[in-house]
């Protein structure tokens, strides 16, 4: 069975603090993608990153960075020097792409991040 | 998520009425997914469609819910005889395909259904 766990339900930080959002996934497939999406208070889902299972390189995009570790089945997301505009719900998701899979996303429950001024 | 168009953004229906939610995928995308986000919950997969075909409907409730993606026009998620428990945000997403390459899935802004 496939599963994504975001153990942190809510996180509150003060502006300029660094914050890491945890994501642990379960799958027996060897071919899969991992995603992070942001859902700001306005409600839309904003794509942040996609990672395939064969690429364990960490990625940095501005203040955002992602740490993919297959050994621990984790795909953690760090925001450096957080800002109030980062306040949102963040979802980690998994999709399978081996034979017979349709690429549908399996989402974690989400982590609500509140950044206080 | 630019380009995946959903309408209406907000819809209010009385119990027993029908709700129709529309989704136009991004240009060049032929694969559409529908997800539901119940209050205080994460997103759950409902159905995956390609043009004129339902590929995977394993997440669709067995009754009252249907989806289509005709050759021409938007994908439609239809909920008949709505009940209060159908109140949720319904998200449409599109992609170029389910293969290894190019399968970033982009979401629309969602349609919020409220059943009164």
């Amino acid at each position: 069975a496939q599963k994504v766990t975001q153990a942190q339900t809510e996180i509150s930080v003060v502006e300029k603090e660094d914050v890491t959002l945890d994501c642990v996934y379960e799958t027996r497939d060897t071919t899969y993608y991992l995603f992070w999406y942001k859902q700001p208070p306005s409600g839309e889902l904003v794509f942040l990153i996609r990672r395939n299972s064969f690429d364990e390189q960490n990625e940095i995009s501005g203040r955002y960075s992602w740490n993919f570790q297959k050994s621990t089945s984790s795909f953690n997301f760090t925001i450096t020097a957080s800002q109030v505009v980062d306040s949102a719900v963040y979802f980690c998701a998994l999709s399978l792409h081996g034979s017979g899979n349709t690429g549908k996303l399996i989402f974690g429950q989400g982590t609500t991040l509140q950044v206080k001024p | 998520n630019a380009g995946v168009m959903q309408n209406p953004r907000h819809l209010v229906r009385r119990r027993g009425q029908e709700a129709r939610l529309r989704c136009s995928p991004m240009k060049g995308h032929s694969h559409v997914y529908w997800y539901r986000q119940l209050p205080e919950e994460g997103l759950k997969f409902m159905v995956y469609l390609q043009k004129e075909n339902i590929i995977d409907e394993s997440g669709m409730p067995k009754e009252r819910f249907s989806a289509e993606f005709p050759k021409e026009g938007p994908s439609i998620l239809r909920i008949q005889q709505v009940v209060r428990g159908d109140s949720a945000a319904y998200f449409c997403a599109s992609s170029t395909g389910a293969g290894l390459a190019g399968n970033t899935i982009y979401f629309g802004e969602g349609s919020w259904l409220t059943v009164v």
Side-chain angles (χ1 to χ4, degrees):
Chain A
Q2 289 70 233
K3 187 178 178 182
V4 175
T5 302
Q6 294 179 253
Q8 304 149 307
T9 305
E10 293 184 19
I11 300 176
S12 182
V13 299
V14 176
E15 210 170 16
K16 298 184 182 176
E17 285 185 18
D18 298 347
V19 58
T20 296
L21 310 181
D22 297 332
C23 173
V24 174
Y25 62 94
E26 295 176 31
T27 180
R28 291 182 179 175
D29 283 47
T30 57
T31 306
Y32 53 88
Y33 280 88
L34 294 163
F35 297 78
W36 276 94
Y37 288 88
K38 173 183 179 180
Q39 187 175 38
S42 49
E44 72 272 24
L45 279 165
V46 179
F47 166 78
L48 295 178
I49 190 171
R50 178 191 70 171
R51 213 74 183 131
N52 76 57
S53 52
F54 301 109
D55 182 2
E56 283 192 76
Q57 271 196 327
N58 292 328
E59 181 153 340
I60 298 174
S61 176
R63 295 184 298 108
Y64 295 171
S65 62
W66 290 269
N67 183 357
F68 177 26
Q69 292 197 342
K70 288 178 78 169
S71 60
T72 55
S73 297
S74 65
F75 186 44
N76 296 337
F77 172 32
T78 297
I79 302 175
T80 303
S82 59
Q83 300 175 2
V84 173
V85 293
D86 295 327
S87 296
V89 181
Y90 290 86
F91 290 99
C92 180
L94 165 72
S95 71
L96 306 179
H97 289 270
S99 175
N101 290 305
T102 59
K104 66 188 180 189
L105 290 168
I106 301 155
F107 282 89
Q109 287 298 96
T111 297
T112 300
L113 173 64
Q114 183 180 38
V115 181
K116 298 177 181 177
Chain B
N1 63 345
V4 181
M5 304 300 294
Q6 288 189 249
N7 69 83
R9 287 296 309 281
H10 298 277
L11 181 64
V12 179
R13 284 288 178 266
R14 296 187 183 279
R15 281 177 294 171
Q17 290 185 321
E18 178 179 288
R20 285 195 180 211
L21 309 177
R22 296 173 188 79
C23 170
S24 295
M26 282 183 73
K27 189 176 181 181
H29 287 189
S30 58
H31 297 247
V32 165
Y33 302 80
W34 285 94
Y35 290 80
R36 178 165 67 172
Q37 185 177 27
L38 292 167
E40 308 302 324
E41 292 190 17
L43 291 105
K44 304 292 185 187
F45 166 79
M46 298 181 75
V47 62
Y48 165 45
L49 311 103
Q50 295 177 25
K51 286 281 188 182
E52 299 185 280
N53 285 305
I54 297 175
I55 307 301
D56 181 352
E57 56 182 348
S58 58
M60 287 280 269
K62 299 298 180 191
E63 298 176 347
R64 302 187 297 107
F65 284 71
S66 62
E68 63 177 8
F69 189 14
K71 186 176 180 181
E72 302 290 337
S75 175
I76 299 197
L77 179 67
R78 181 183 178 203
I79 311 171
Q80 294 177 292
Q81 299 173 342
V82 296
V83 300
R84 287 217 171 111
D86 297 331
S87 296
Y90 292 84
F91 286 92
C92 172
S94 73
S95 76
T96 55
L100 271 176
N103 193 43
T104 295
I105 299 174
Y106 292 96
F107 283 82
E109 293 186 327
S111 291
W112 269 257
L113 171 65
T114 301
V115 180
V116 297

